[in-house]
Amino acid sequence: MDRYTIEISENIASKYRIEWNLSLNEAISLHSLILKLNIITMFRPLSETSYGISIKTLSGLKFMLINSSNTIGRQNFTIAHELFHLYVEKNPIPHICSLNKGKNNSEKNADLFASSFLMPKTAIYSFLSDEEINKKTVFTSTTLKMEQYFNVSHSALIIRLKQLKLLSESQFNDLMFNTQVKEVSKSLGYKTTLYENGNEGLIIGDYIEKANQLLEQDLISEGHHLSLINTIFYGEN
Amino acid sequence: MKTIVSKKLKQLREANGYTQDLIASYLGINRSTYSNYESGDRETPIQLLEKLSDLYGCDLILFYDEQNHTLESILSTAFRIDAIQESDLNEIANFKKAIKNYLKMNILLKNGSLHN
């Protein structure tokens, strides 16, 4: 797979926004989107450097495992990244996406797609004042507002601004390594859930619905039903 | 002596990119014991094959199946894991088990039985 340019990733992201009936500038509720697409998604605690896994079966069914030990902002980026593997890549090779994995073109393209998909260029510009655009200086308060709007982590937003050449090198470093993001965000009245982990045990998709249908139709025993439910909720047999 | 089970153990492990050390640790046994299973020098206990079928997302029967067509479909959805943390293996196995369950539920809802 060739490495995408920013322009190519923007075009692909727009194409999928249209395909999934999302307007070109709105913030995306990823949980609603994967519910609509019926991607069976489990949120389970993995080690800190693992982000997520997705699998597409030969018949086209799609599954995701998202690390609930990552922050919510990071989880959202991972979901968008995995959407690339499931929909854009023709023959995805299932793998765990992690910090430690050396990034090949497929991983880099998935990151670029996630970035463009979650934070469209025109939507980013709509938050910036003329002064910020002209001086390549985005105020911290503006970055925090955008993070809240797009539901992404601070680093994902800052990297996106750098991609769009909206930050100087020094401002990129200042913003990227700001350790007070959560505190400042709180002082501005924003919710801080983006910067916290969560969602452990959350299930999206119709797995449980199917298990319940089987029980109602007497196709499985209560014991079998319990075992199906326990697998998806608790990882038990 | 190589048996069908021992050959499948090696094929599936390598297709998923796991080391013998990692699999032995996931199964809670010594690497040398696991190595004996792959070489066919010792018979693999069925409880361990069940645990491995979860990790690889396949049915237990696959370990005994001489035909390779099922294996091909499993391998096409195998993980390539280059940076796996040992502590994540149980969650990965559980994820694959949930997928296996889901595929079986679909068949059951469609046919009323797994065997139609």
Side-chain angles (χ1 to χ4, degrees), chain B residues 13-77:
Chain B
R13 178 179 61 74
E14 289 181 343
N16 283 274
Y18 296 131
T19 60
Q20 285 196 347
D21 279 326
L22 204 61
I23 295 297
S25 162
Y26 167 72
L27 294 172
I29 58 175
N30 291 328
R31 195 196 65 84
S32 58
T33 310
Y34 177 76
S35 175
N36 285 332
Y37 297 149
E38 266 195 19
S39 62
D41 291 339
R42 283 176 71 174
E43 198 176 325
T44 317
I46 193 148
Q47 303 93 300
L48 297 188
L49 290 179
E50 276 176 355
K51 221 173 158 197
L52 286 172
S53 71
D54 288 338
L55 183 65
Y56 297 138
C58 64
D59 280 327
L60 187 59
I61 192 77
L62 183 70
F63 289 104
Y64 303 97
D65 187 0
E66 285 193 66
Q67 301 290 322
N68 264 338
H69 59 274
T70 333
L71 185 63
E72 280 165 25
S73 67
I74 293 294
L75 296 187
S76 69
T77 59

Side-chain angles (χ1 to χ4, degrees), chain A residues 53-152:
Chain A
I53 301 171
S54 55
I55 286 191
K56 182 159 68 174
T57 66
L58 294 177
S59 59
L61 296 168
K62 298 173 184 72
F63 302 86
M64 275 187 200
L65 173 64
I66 302 295
N67 186 1
S68 60
S69 302
N70 290 156
T71 64
I72 304 290
R74 173 69 236 187
Q75 288 178 34
N76 287 340
F77 192 86
T78 301
I79 292 171
H81 174 111
E82 299 301 334
L83 285 174
F84 175 88
H85 289 313
L86 291 175
Y87 286 88
V88 185
E89 270 187 316
K90 290 286 167 263
N91 295 302
I93 301 163
H95 58 276
I96 187 159
C97 300
S98 75
L99 184 67
N100 297 336
K101 190 175 160 63
K103 291 211 168 180
N104 55 28
N105 280 353
S106 158
E107 289 300 287
K108 285 174 185 163
N109 289 345
D111 279 351
L112 267 180
F113 170 84
S115 200
S116 310
F117 182 65
L118 295 175
M119 299 166 274
K121 188 175 172 179
T122 46
I124 294 256
Y125 270 82
S126 70
F127 280 88
L128 303 175
S129 64
D130 291 345
E131 185 191 356
E132 288 175 306
I133 294 169
N134 295 334
K135 290 188 177 169
K136 285 197 176 183
T137 303
V138 181
F139 302 128
T140 301
S141 57
T142 313
T143 65
L144 297 179
K145 190 193 281 183
M146 285 195 273
E147 285 157 36
Q148 292 293 318
Y149 179 76
F150 294 119
N151 289 309
V152 293

Side-chain angles (χ1 to χ4, degrees), chain A residues 21-37:
Chain A
N21 289 321
L22 302 161
S23 77
L24 292 181
N25 287 322
E26 72 181 288
I28 297 174
S29 163
L30 287 157
H31 291 198
S32 303
L33 179 62
I34 54 181
L35 181 70
K36 190 167 77 174
L37 297 172

